[in-house]
Amino acid sequence: GILLKFREFFGLLNAPRRDGFVSFHTSKYRLHYLETPSGLRLVLNTDLGVGSAREALQHIYSNLFVELVVKNPLCPPRAPVQSLLFRQRLDAFVRSLPYFGPR
């Protein structure tokens, strides 16, 4: 719900952008957001030092979600993702990002 409100609020404040609402930040974290043409919403939380995680979210969608979930006949559409391979590859990808690190 809060993401939809941010999107709506962003639309009221700014001139329409091609990529729409992409992120917001608080004093403690930055939330990066990607909505696909099919309506799937991806969110990634980072610390404030990360400028944009747009490429990472696009990679997660195109190279992981589409390849390992959408094209998998064993994964029913609109159901929670149960694919262990997807989860493992997603975890490995996020851990490989330059801004991922232990606290």
Side-chain angles (χ1 to χ4, degrees), residues 8 12 25 38 90:
E8 182 180 307
L12 293 173
H25 65 88
S38 64
L90 176 61

Side-chain angles (χ1 to χ4, degrees), residues 17-52:
R17 293 177 46 183
R18 186 179 71 84
D19 50 1
F21 168 66
V22 294
S23 73
F24 80 92
H25 65 88
T26 69
S27 61
K28 300 202 182 272
Y29 69 92
R30 180 177 303 276
L31 180 140
H32 305 268
Y33 176 82
L34 174 73
E35 184 169 354
T36 68
S38 64
L40 179 71
R41 296 176 185 105
L42 301 170
V43 174
L44 180 66
N45 287 328
T46 65
D47 74 19
L48 295 170
V50 178
S52 174

Side-chain angles (χ1 to χ4, degrees), residues 42 44 53-65 68 85-101:
L42 301 170
L44 180 66
R54 189 104 177 136
E55 286 183 25
L57 289 171
Q58 289 173 333
H59 176 85
I60 290 168
Y61 175 68
S62 300
N63 297 87
L64 300 176
F65 185 77
L68 300 171
L85 182 59
F86 171 75
R87 290 178 182 194
Q88 290 171 336
R89 295 239 179 115
L90 176 61
D91 185 65
F93 175 72
V94 170
R95 289 177 185 275
S96 76
L97 294 171
Y99 40 83
F100 180 86

